Amino acid sequence: MHVGLSNKFSIQGSKRKIASLQFSDKTVEDYSKAMSVGNPSDLNTSPFPQLYSPAGKRQMFQRVDRFSVLQPIKKEEDKLTDKDIMRQLQESPEQKLEDQIPKQLVGSQSARSYFQHYKVLNKVKQQNDYHKINDSIQTQMLKQAESLDVLPCKLGLIKLNGNESQVSINNHHYGDKYISVLSEGLRQNQGIKEFLLSNNRIKQDGAVTILNQIGKQATVIDLSKNDIGQMGVDCLCQQLQMRENKMEVINIEDNKLGDKFVMKILKCLLNTQNKVKVLNISKNFLTNEICDLMKEIILQLDLLEELYIHWNQIKGSGGQKIFEALIENKNMIVFDGSWNGFGISEKSNCTQKVCEFLSQNKVMLHCDLSANQFTLQDCKLIATSLKPNRTMYGFHFAGNWGVVDPRGFLIIDENAQQKVLGETLRIKGLEQVTTLRHEDVCWICEGWQEQVFDWIPDGECDPLFLHMNFEEYKQVYIPKRNDGTYKLSLMIPTGQTQFLFTVIDNQTTAVNYDNIKFGHVIKLKVNGINVSCQLDNINVVKKLKHFQLMDKKEMKALTSVLPRTPDPIYIPPKLKKQKRIWSFPISIWFKDFRFENEEFLRKCFEKDWSCSKISKVVKNPDEFNEVKNLLWKDYKMIKETYKWYSSYNPSGDVWSISSNVITDFSSTTELVDNKTFKLSDLDLKFIATCAASIEYKGNYRNPERALCRYQFMEFLVRVSDDKYLKQKQANNMVDSVQMILDQCRPTMQQYNAQKWRDERYFNEQCDDCLKYYKTLLNYVYNRYSIKKVKPGQKKFMCLDELHEICGQAGLFDEKFVDRDADLAFNLSMMLQIDELESDRIFQMTFVEFMEAIARIAEKVSLPAAPDMSWEQRQQQPLHIKLERLLILLAQTCASEEYKQQFGNPQKSIFDVQPEDD
């Protein structure tokens, strides 16, 4: 008989007690059958077949009596029959086995229940062995602890509160044996997804044990500050290669793995489909050797959002590769490269790439470059590149030259000594990690929050200044808004901020804010004047100490204040600039641009007339002079039309009109009507004009199968002869020339390069824009003006070089094609008297280059704001279009210096409001 099993029961009689008699459920059931059925058919299956005989019944009670479970029978009349005993056994409530009772892992009773379970562990093992039931999580852990001869611990599975899907045993210093116990407890618990095992004594065996157990279920694995070694790395790679792998966060910081083992993990990440979003490989003695692979990781893992390589041995050349990848990356939002050696040059351009990254990357939200041994000059370049960045809400630079101020600017003080630091504040994704103020401000880590400071005006208030205690009460100007109010949004730290206002040189507090007693003397500097004031009260505003600046789901900041937004600047009235009166003589074009006056046009006309063969068409001397006068009156129109059509399909660099283009012209002007004048007639006149100029044969400036400027005028005369005079629609050549000019006039009058200059280009705004960006334009012009310039010759730009600039800037698309670039070049070229003996017509000077860029800007119409339609883009003023194109040229065609200066402006130069008197 089994004594000590479940189903405790007690039988009480009037004179007799049966105490502490225990049988299993099976024993009671079999005994019941034995009492009710004399000879059951399942004798052989019962664990107590002897109970079914009368002798067996007596023998059973005798054994119970020997164990002192039943008290001696004192009185005969109190004696219970067998049937009474069995009836009481059957009526006793059935109880579940220990491991069949659900027990919470998280809650107020979980630890107590775990302790009670430990006290009855032997009983539970007997129950489970006998009834063949599975061990509970508590039993598995306790049995494993007993087999390994270690004290039972909760190991993050049994806990008072917390997330049931997370195991956290950070900083518990558990070794491999305890990790084995934890692994046993996880066998039946597949709901846990996050495993935070940092700073324990996990070595290779423990790492293999736990990784094999959690590899299919884990989304977060933190094995930092352990020693997982080669076996742990191999096992981690095996888990990453599994199809069921769900890992999103991998933290192996401070495992001292070295390049070899970390490279193995990175290769595994590259060669498998994974969901890794956060990778921490800090403090692993990594060197430049790993950086080629790290560059590929940054470029190819589209889901990777956070990368931590803190406290390694990566120097300049390795850092250059990393930042080359970060410049192109469009997904990473957190990067920790602190405590490396990016500033150790090794003949690398790491600092340049850091600058490009800071100025071009629009995705990164949090970046740490602390303690990287940058030189003072490096830090100045980095500060300049960071200045226009409006998307990076947290930037760390401690341990280098410079301090990050409350607006997010990197302030370089050459007189300050470079500080020697211990380990700096560590960033942790987009979370607030401290409530304390640091000299280097980080809005994310310190939980800074937006505060709107407003002043209720009561009479004249300008100038109005704000002074806050965390900035040592320096003045911040609050300008008057268009609606007459005074408001300014700023970021302030957590906790309590004290502040006051200066209203027209008087220090005071605002009635619309709380205030506290103060009574101290404050030294201020207002408009350059030192002021000491003592206030009885001072305004205060309080912010929550725990605040999450970034919305992790939307990946955006919960504030309207952009980092590195400059404070408004107060300009005293006496220092405001006098408004100038703009005129062309003070413009950038005045010195070099030449207008086409009547005298100059006459010289061009006479040159064209002398070169043409019109005398062979108009043979009457009287008509010859009259025709000449007619053509001179409309020469400007003829010249402008030729310039436009000669740009459509030039012969190399030579502007000329081909047969296809002249057909388009005839179609537009309706010269060809297939009655009086057919297309075949047009071709004959075109060929006759080209063939007439025999003396210029061999001159590359006069193509054999295309019309030059002087020939276009001759062509019109030949067509008029054939179309009007020979068809008897005109009486003489004078009438026929007049008729063709009249017919073509509606079309030819549309072409006027000077009209565009006067209406769109020659104005104050375009002048200001070109003057502001003149150094950039000079750089681009000189950089590209090299292909056809001979030694000693003054620089000029050819057509191919303008095409190269457009291509480099990525301008060519369905709305801007090669013909548009040709047209911009030709229309910008100033008129030359002799186009047959001079190359000047395709040698662009700087003033012509500026106009060509403006014409291209007009055509491309880059948007000044996102989501603008094409119609809205076209309707923008030319100076806005021009500025957008020049910024693009700075980004794509200029050196690093000009990229930093012009490539990422914080606002348009035209955003400044005009000042009143």
mmCIF file of all heavy atoms in Angstrom, residues 113-141:
data_model
loop_
_atom_site.group_PDB
_atom_site.id
_atom_site.type_symbol
_atom_site.label_atom_id
_atom_site.label_comp_id
_atom_site.label_asym_id
_atom_site.label_seq_id
_atom_site.Cartn_x
_atom_site.Cartn_y
_atom_site.Cartn_z
ATOM 1 N N SER A 113 4.278 30.847 -3.903
ATOM 2 C CA SER A 113 3.876 29.565 -4.480
ATOM 3 C C SER A 113 5.088 28.755 -4.924
ATOM 4 O O SER A 113 5.136 27.535 -4.751
ATOM 5 C CB SER A 113 2.948 29.825 -5.672
ATOM 6 O OG SER A 113 2.661 28.634 -6.355
ATOM 7 N N TYR A 114 6.102 29.451 -5.468
ATOM 8 C CA TYR A 114 7.335 28.773 -5.909
ATOM 9 C C TYR A 114 8.070 28.174 -4.712
ATOM 10 O O TYR A 114 8.573 27.045 -4.767
ATOM 11 C CB TYR A 114 8.207 29.799 -6.633
ATOM 12 C CG TYR A 114 9.454 29.237 -7.279
ATOM 13 C CD1 TYR A 114 9.394 28.164 -8.156
ATOM 14 C CD2 TYR A 114 10.697 29.794 -7.011
ATOM 15 C CE1 TYR A 114 10.532 27.656 -8.760
ATOM 16 C CE2 TYR A 114 11.846 29.307 -7.607
ATOM 17 C CZ TYR A 114 11.760 28.222 -8.477
ATOM 18 O OH TYR A 114 12.903 27.734 -9.063
ATOM 19 N N PHE A 115 8.088 28.890 -3.581
ATOM 20 C CA PHE A 115 8.734 28.384 -2.372
ATOM 21 C C PHE A 115 7.987 27.172 -1.823
ATOM 22 O O PHE A 115 8.594 26.165 -1.420
ATOM 23 C CB PHE A 115 8.797 29.503 -1.326
ATOM 24 C CG PHE A 115 9.363 29.063 -0.014
ATOM 25 C CD1 PHE A 115 10.706 28.709 0.117
ATOM 26 C CD2 PHE A 115 8.555 28.977 1.121
ATOM 27 C CE1 PHE A 115 11.227 28.292 1.327
ATOM 28 C CE2 PHE A 115 9.074 28.568 2.326
ATOM 29 C CZ PHE A 115 10.412 28.219 2.443
ATOM 30 N N GLN A 116 6.652 27.240 -1.773
ATOM 31 C CA GLN A 116 5.861 26.106 -1.301
ATOM 32 C C GLN A 116 6.056 24.889 -2.203
ATOM 33 O O GLN A 116 6.099 23.742 -1.744
ATOM 34 C CB GLN A 116 4.375 26.493 -1.260
ATOM 35 C CG GLN A 116 4.044 27.592 -0.260
ATOM 36 C CD GLN A 116 4.287 27.166 1.184
ATOM 37 O OE1 GLN A 116 4.276 25.984 1.509
ATOM 38 N NE2 GLN A 116 4.555 28.148 2.056
ATOM 39 N N HIS A 117 6.194 25.159 -3.494
ATOM 40 C CA HIS A 117 6.424 24.074 -4.440
ATOM 41 C C HIS A 117 7.757 23.379 -4.157
ATOM 42 O O HIS A 117 7.880 22.166 -4.273
ATOM 43 C CB HIS A 117 6.414 24.643 -5.868
ATOM 44 C CG HIS A 117 6.155 23.625 -6.932
ATOM 45 N ND1 HIS A 117 4.902 23.326 -7.397
ATOM 46 C CD2 HIS A 117 7.012 22.815 -7.626
ATOM 47 C CE1 HIS A 117 4.987 22.394 -8.330
ATOM 48 N NE2 HIS A 117 6.267 22.075 -8.494
ATOM 49 N N TYR A 118 8.734 24.191 -3.799
ATOM 50 C CA TYR A 118 10.051 23.625 -3.479
ATOM 51 C C TYR A 118 9.978 22.708 -2.264
ATOM 52 O O TYR A 118 10.638 21.664 -2.219
ATOM 53 C CB TYR A 118 11.034 24.771 -3.247
ATOM 54 C CG TYR A 118 12.369 24.338 -2.697
ATOM 55 C CD1 TYR A 118 13.215 23.531 -3.433
ATOM 56 C CD2 TYR A 118 12.771 24.739 -1.419
ATOM 57 C CE1 TYR A 118 14.436 23.130 -2.934
ATOM 58 C CE2 TYR A 118 13.986 24.344 -0.909
ATOM 59 C CZ TYR A 118 14.826 23.532 -1.666
ATOM 60 O OH TYR A 118 16.038 23.132 -1.154
ATOM 61 N N LYS A 119 9.122 23.054 -1.273
ATOM 62 C CA LYS A 119 9.030 22.249 -0.045
ATOM 63 C C LYS A 119 8.391 20.887 -0.300
ATOM 64 O O LYS A 119 8.670 19.935 0.422
ATOM 65 C CB LYS A 119 8.237 23.017 1.001
ATOM 66 C CG LYS A 119 8.949 24.281 1.491
ATOM 67 C CD LYS A 119 8.449 24.742 2.864
ATOM 68 C CE LYS A 119 6.983 25.034 2.877
ATOM 69 N NZ LYS A 119 6.545 25.568 4.186
ATOM 70 N N VAL A 120 7.550 20.771 -1.296
ATOM 71 C CA VAL A 120 6.892 19.483 -1.571
ATOM 72 C C VAL A 120 7.412 18.880 -2.869
ATOM 73 O O VAL A 120 6.700 18.129 -3.538
ATOM 74 C CB VAL A 120 5.363 19.660 -1.629
ATOM 75 C CG1 VAL A 120 4.812 20.091 -0.287
ATOM 76 C CG2 VAL A 120 4.988 20.662 -2.721
ATOM 77 N N LEU A 121 8.645 19.223 -3.250
ATOM 78 C CA LEU A 121 9.180 18.776 -4.534
ATOM 79 C C LEU A 121 9.204 17.251 -4.635
ATOM 80 O O LEU A 121 8.852 16.678 -5.670
ATOM 81 C CB LEU A 121 10.580 19.353 -4.742
ATOM 82 C CG LEU A 121 11.271 18.960 -6.057
ATOM 83 C CD1 LEU A 121 10.466 19.471 -7.252
ATOM 84 C CD2 LEU A 121 12.682 19.507 -6.109
ATOM 85 N N ASN A 122 9.621 16.543 -3.545
ATOM 86 C CA ASN A 122 9.691 15.073 -3.597
ATOM 87 C C ASN A 122 8.321 14.466 -3.821
ATOM 88 O O ASN A 122 8.157 13.513 -4.591
ATOM 89 C CB ASN A 122 10.307 14.544 -2.303
ATOM 90 C CG ASN A 122 11.787 14.857 -2.218
ATOM 91 O OD1 ASN A 122 12.457 15.005 -3.246
ATOM 92 N ND2 ASN A 122 12.310 14.981 -1.013
ATOM 93 N N LYS A 123 7.340 15.009 -3.125
ATOM 94 C CA LYS A 123 5.970 14.530 -3.307
ATOM 95 C C LYS A 123 5.512 14.744 -4.755
ATOM 96 O O LYS A 123 4.915 13.869 -5.381
ATOM 97 C CB LYS A 123 5.061 15.273 -2.338
ATOM 98 C CG LYS A 123 3.575 15.109 -2.604
ATOM 99 C CD LYS A 123 2.802 16.013 -1.689
ATOM 100 C CE LYS A 123 1.340 16.073 -2.114
ATOM 101 N NZ LYS A 123 0.572 16.994 -1.263
ATOM 102 N N VAL A 124 5.837 15.947 -5.325
ATOM 103 C CA VAL A 124 5.423 16.259 -6.703
ATOM 104 C C VAL A 124 6.085 15.304 -7.684
ATOM 105 O O VAL A 124 5.458 14.832 -8.631
ATOM 106 C CB VAL A 124 5.777 17.716 -7.037
ATOM 107 C CG1 VAL A 124 5.523 18.014 -8.503
ATOM 108 C CG2 VAL A 124 4.987 18.683 -6.170
ATOM 109 N N LYS A 125 7.370 14.995 -7.473
ATOM 110 C CA LYS A 125 8.057 14.081 -8.385
ATOM 111 C C LYS A 125 7.408 12.699 -8.352
ATOM 112 O O LYS A 125 7.268 12.056 -9.396
ATOM 113 C CB LYS A 125 9.535 13.992 -7.992
ATOM 114 C CG LYS A 125 10.320 15.262 -8.300
ATOM 115 C CD LYS A 125 11.815 15.062 -8.213
ATOM 116 C CE LYS A 125 12.272 14.805 -6.806
ATOM 117 N NZ LYS A 125 13.750 14.711 -6.704
ATOM 118 N N GLN A 126 7.014 12.236 -7.127
ATOM 119 C CA GLN A 126 6.335 10.925 -7.035
ATOM 120 C C GLN A 126 5.010 10.955 -7.787
ATOM 121 O O GLN A 126 4.669 10.015 -8.518
ATOM 122 C CB GLN A 126 6.105 10.565 -5.561
ATOM 123 C CG GLN A 126 7.386 10.237 -4.789
ATOM 124 C CD GLN A 126 7.098 9.867 -3.362
ATOM 125 O OE1 GLN A 126 6.028 9.394 -3.044
ATOM 126 N NE2 GLN A 126 8.081 10.083 -2.501
ATOM 127 N N GLN A 127 4.252 12.042 -7.568
ATOM 128 C CA GLN A 127 2.965 12.151 -8.267
ATOM 129 C C GLN A 127 3.158 12.099 -9.782
ATOM 130 O O GLN A 127 2.451 11.380 -10.484
ATOM 131 C CB GLN A 127 2.274 13.460 -7.873
ATOM 132 C CG GLN A 127 1.768 13.510 -6.457
ATOM 133 C CD GLN A 127 1.165 14.856 -6.124
ATOM 134 O OE1 GLN A 127 1.271 15.794 -6.903
ATOM 135 N NE2 GLN A 127 0.523 14.939 -4.958
ATOM 136 N N ASN A 128 4.101 12.878 -10.267
ATOM 137 C CA ASN A 128 4.288 12.969 -11.719
ATOM 138 C C ASN A 128 4.796 11.657 -12.295
ATOM 139 O O ASN A 128 4.404 11.268 -13.400
ATOM 140 C CB ASN A 128 5.270 14.096 -12.055
ATOM 141 C CG ASN A 128 4.712 15.460 -11.709
ATOM 142 O OD1 ASN A 128 3.549 15.578 -11.338
ATOM 143 N ND2 ASN A 128 5.535 16.497 -11.828
ATOM 144 N N ASP A 129 5.683 10.967 -11.554
ATOM 145 C CA ASP A 129 6.195 9.673 -12.028
ATOM 146 C C ASP A 129 5.087 8.634 -12.079
ATOM 147 O O ASP A 129 4.971 7.861 -13.044
ATOM 148 C CB ASP A 129 7.335 9.196 -11.132
ATOM 149 C CG ASP A 129 8.578 10.030 -11.283
ATOM 150 O OD1 ASP A 129 8.660 10.762 -12.294
ATOM 151 O OD2 ASP A 129 9.456 9.984 -10.402
ATOM 152 N N TYR A 130 4.278 8.628 -11.026
ATOM 153 C CA TYR A 130 3.246 7.603 -10.953
ATOM 154 C C TYR A 130 2.132 7.844 -11.971
ATOM 155 O O TYR A 130 1.693 6.934 -12.671
ATOM 156 C CB TYR A 130 2.671 7.550 -9.538
ATOM 157 C CG TYR A 130 1.570 6.533 -9.398
ATOM 158 C CD1 TYR A 130 1.864 5.167 -9.389
ATOM 159 C CD2 TYR A 130 0.240 6.936 -9.321
ATOM 160 C CE1 TYR A 130 0.853 4.236 -9.294
ATOM 161 C CE2 TYR A 130 -0.775 6.012 -9.222
ATOM 162 C CZ TYR A 130 -0.461 4.653 -9.207
ATOM 163 O OH TYR A 130 -1.456 3.732 -9.119
ATOM 164 N N HIS A 131 1.697 9.109 -12.075
ATOM 165 C CA HIS A 131 0.567 9.418 -12.950
ATOM 166 C C HIS A 131 0.989 9.792 -14.368
ATOM 167 O O HIS A 131 0.147 10.103 -15.204
ATOM 168 C CB HIS A 131 -0.255 10.570 -12.347
ATOM 169 C CG HIS A 131 -0.978 10.180 -11.098
ATOM 170 N ND1 HIS A 131 -2.120 9.426 -11.077
ATOM 171 C CD2 HIS A 131 -0.667 10.427 -9.796
ATOM 172 C CE1 HIS A 131 -2.523 9.231 -9.843
ATOM 173 N NE2 HIS A 131 -1.644 9.841 -9.034
ATOM 174 N N LYS A 132 2.309 9.789 -14.569
ATOM 175 C CA LYS A 132 2.827 10.069 -15.914
ATOM 176 C C LYS A 132 2.309 11.396 -16.472
ATOM 177 O O LYS A 132 1.776 11.474 -17.572
ATOM 178 C CB LYS A 132 2.487 8.939 -16.880
ATOM 179 C CG LYS A 132 3.112 7.607 -16.532
ATOM 180 C CD LYS A 132 2.808 6.568 -17.591
ATOM 181 C CE LYS A 132 3.532 5.276 -17.326
ATOM 182 N NZ LYS A 132 3.087 4.566 -16.141
ATOM 183 N N ILE A 133 2.464 12.456 -15.709
ATOM 184 C CA ILE A 133 2.087 13.787 -16.159
ATOM 185 C C ILE A 133 3.358 14.618 -16.320
ATOM 186 O O ILE A 133 4.390 14.333 -15.700
ATOM 187 C CB ILE A 133 1.106 14.475 -15.194
ATOM 188 C CG1 ILE A 133 1.773 14.681 -13.830
ATOM 189 C CG2 ILE A 133 -0.181 13.702 -15.070
ATOM 190 C CD1 ILE A 133 0.905 15.463 -12.876
ATOM 191 N N ASN A 134 3.272 15.654 -17.157
ATOM 192 C CA ASN A 134 4.432 16.498 -17.443
ATOM 193 C C ASN A 134 4.749 17.404 -16.264
ATOM 194 O O ASN A 134 3.844 17.893 -15.571
ATOM 195 C CB ASN A 134 4.192 17.359 -18.684
ATOM 196 C CG ASN A 134 4.070 16.531 -19.945
ATOM 197 O OD1 ASN A 134 4.701 15.495 -20.070
ATOM 198 N ND2 ASN A 134 3.237 16.995 -20.871
ATOM 199 N N ASP A 135 6.037 17.654 -16.089
ATOM 200 C CA ASP A 135 6.458 18.575 -15.034
ATOM 201 C C ASP A 135 6.046 19.995 -15.386
ATOM 202 O O ASP A 135 6.080 20.412 -16.553
ATOM 203 C CB ASP A 135 7.978 18.532 -14.858
ATOM 204 C CG ASP A 135 8.451 17.201 -14.295
ATOM 205 O OD1 ASP A 135 7.625 16.502 -13.688
ATOM 206 O OD2 ASP A 135 9.639 16.886 -14.478
ATOM 207 N N SER A 136 5.665 20.754 -14.354
ATOM 208 C CA SER A 136 5.388 22.175 -14.550
ATOM 209 C C SER A 136 6.710 22.925 -14.685
ATOM 210 O O SER A 136 7.798 22.370 -14.488
ATOM 211 C CB SER A 136 4.590 22.729 -13.380
ATOM 212 O OG SER A 136 5.374 22.674 -12.195
ATOM 213 N N ILE A 137 6.614 24.239 -15.052
ATOM 214 C CA ILE A 137 7.819 25.061 -15.178
ATOM 215 C C ILE A 137 8.565 25.112 -13.858
ATOM 216 O O ILE A 137 9.792 24.977 -13.812
ATOM 217 C CB ILE A 137 7.429 26.480 -15.639
ATOM 218 C CG1 ILE A 137 6.867 26.449 -17.056
ATOM 219 C CG2 ILE A 137 8.623 27.433 -15.570
ATOM 220 C CD1 ILE A 137 6.349 27.777 -17.550
ATOM 221 N N GLN A 138 7.830 25.232 -12.734
ATOM 222 C CA GLN A 138 8.479 25.282 -11.433
ATOM 223 C C GLN A 138 9.206 23.983 -11.130
ATOM 224 O O GLN A 138 10.339 23.979 -10.640
ATOM 225 C CB GLN A 138 7.435 25.567 -10.339
ATOM 226 C CG GLN A 138 6.855 26.974 -10.383
ATOM 227 C CD GLN A 138 5.635 27.094 -11.268
ATOM 228 O OE1 GLN A 138 5.420 26.238 -12.144
ATOM 229 N NE2 GLN A 138 4.844 28.138 -11.074
ATOM 230 N N THR A 139 8.557 22.871 -11.447
ATOM 231 C CA THR A 139 9.168 21.568 -11.175
ATOM 232 C C THR A 139 10.420 21.363 -12.014
ATOM 233 O O THR A 139 11.450 20.876 -11.532
ATOM 234 C CB THR A 139 8.156 20.445 -11.460
ATOM 235 O OG1 THR A 139 6.986 20.646 -10.652
ATOM 236 C CG2 THR A 139 8.755 19.085 -11.146
ATOM 237 N N GLN A 140 10.348 21.741 -13.291
ATOM 238 C CA GLN A 140 11.512 21.584 -14.160
ATOM 239 C C GLN A 140 12.703 22.371 -13.636
ATOM 240 O O GLN A 140 13.835 21.879 -13.599
ATOM 241 C CB GLN A 140 11.168 22.053 -15.572
ATOM 242 C CG GLN A 140 10.279 21.098 -16.337
ATOM 243 C CD GLN A 140 9.940 21.626 -17.716
ATOM 244 O OE1 GLN A 140 9.697 22.811 -17.880
ATOM 245 N NE2 GLN A 140 9.897 20.741 -18.699
ATOM 246 N N MET A 141 12.449 23.622 -13.241
ATOM 247 C CA MET A 141 13.547 24.448 -12.739
ATOM 248 C C MET A 141 14.123 23.881 -11.441
ATOM 249 O O MET A 141 15.344 23.821 -11.264
ATOM 250 C CB MET A 141 13.054 25.888 -12.521
ATOM 251 C CG MET A 141 12.697 26.622 -13.796
ATOM 252 S SD MET A 141 11.971 28.238 -13.497
ATOM 253 C CE MET A 141 13.325 29.057 -12.666
#
